Amino acid sequence: MPAIDITVNRSSEALAALVQRILEARREAISRELCAIPPPIPGCDVNFNRLLEERAQVIDELQRLRRVQLDGCPRAALREICRASACLDQAAKTRVDELLGRDDAG
């Protein structure tokens, strides 16, 4: 997870930006990994195909996040995206959930 300090600003927009940076970093890492793989034989390279599927999933999650951002970034929608994400690691999910919870309670 990228080292991002958002202790000062825990608004929905700042948290959405955090999630976006995490997902974009994952997408970039997958793309670098794909570039490092020798040219595949279409349909036969399991690792290459897995990375393509994972990158598509990250892109789908980024699109859902962007729709939430365009909708004013409702906290409940942001929380649901993070909890349902297959691309965010548990540490990122926990951190965003804690920050959302802290703001909801305070």
Side-chain angles (χ1 to χ4, degrees):
M1 176 168 61
I4 302 168
D5 181 18
I6 60 167
T7 55
V8 175
N9 186 355
R10 290 190 309 265
S11 68
S12 294
E13 293 81 9
L15 293 172
L18 168 66
V19 172
Q20 181 177 351
R21 286 190 293 267
I22 293 168
L23 290 172
E24 287 175 349
R26 181 66 190 132
R27 182 187 61 200
E28 289 170 15
I30 293 168
S31 292
R32 283 191 304 273
E33 201 172 336
L34 282 167
C35 289
I37 295 175
I41 299 169
C44 295
D45 191 326
V46 175
N47 189 44
F48 186 83
N49 292 337
R50 180 191 56 80
L51 288 170
L52 286 177
E53 289 173 14
E54 188 176 346
R55 185 176 63 179
Q57 190 172 26
V58 171
I59 290 169
D60 288 345
E61 288 191 18
L62 278 166
Q63 290 172 343
R64 283 195 296 277
L65 180 63
R66 287 185 183 118
R67 284 192 296 274
V68 167
Q69 289 171 311
L70 289 173
D71 194 30
C73 222
R75 298 176 77 73
L78 180 57
R79 183 184 307 274
E80 181 55 34
I81 283 176
C82 290
R83 286 182 176 170
S85 175
C87 301
L88 294 174
D89 64 21
Q90 191 56 48
K93 289 180 179 185
T94 299
R95 179 72 174 138
V96 171
D97 198 52
E98 287 171 354
L99 291 167
L100 283 168
R102 193 176 304 149
D103 275 358
D104 289 344

